[in-house]
Amino acid sequence: MDFFVDHAVGFALACAAVAVLYGLYLTWWLLKQPAGSERMQEIARAVQEGAAAYLRRQYTTIAGVALVPFLVIGLYGELGWGTAIGFAIGAIL
């Protein structure tokens, strides 16, 4: 147990590296699978179009909602614009 206490950051980084490598492997495996029939590809394009429209609408709404706390944080004397920019960066990421 002392090993994990003494090397917590290294262990977390190793786990993150394994997770990223596994994600890359799954992406590679998925992209080499056959695309399917023409009808399947047509359905996939429709789903992608709908998902893109949904995300565009969601991001627009979130941007409008996040503008209010950004301005409140920026105009509040003790926090200031540096904190507001940090909030905006966190919201964007």
Side-chain angles (χ1 to χ4, degrees):
M1 191 62 165
D2 287 334
F3 176 80
F4 293 113
V5 172
D6 295 338
H7 301 92
V9 173
F11 182 71
L13 289 174
C15 290
V18 169
V20 168
L21 289 174
Y22 183 65
L24 290 173
Y25 165 75
L26 285 179
T27 301
W28 168 79
W29 177 82
L30 183 65
L31 289 176
K32 73 176 200 164
Q33 299 303 310
S37 68
E38 182 60 37
R39 178 71 177 144
M40 289 172 64
Q41 292 177 23
E42 180 183 336
I43 293 170
R45 283 191 293 274
V47 169
Q48 288 173 341
E49 182 180 334
Y54 168 76
L55 286 174
R56 189 171 30 259
R57 175 65 183 236
Q58 185 177 21
Y59 289 153
T60 302
T61 303
I62 294 296
V65 170
L67 184 62
V68 174
F70 172 76
L71 291 174
V72 169
I73 292 170
L75 294 173
Y76 185 66
E78 292 183 24
L79 295 176
W81 290 107
T83 305
I85 291 172
F87 168 79
I89 291 170
I92 290 168
L93 296 178

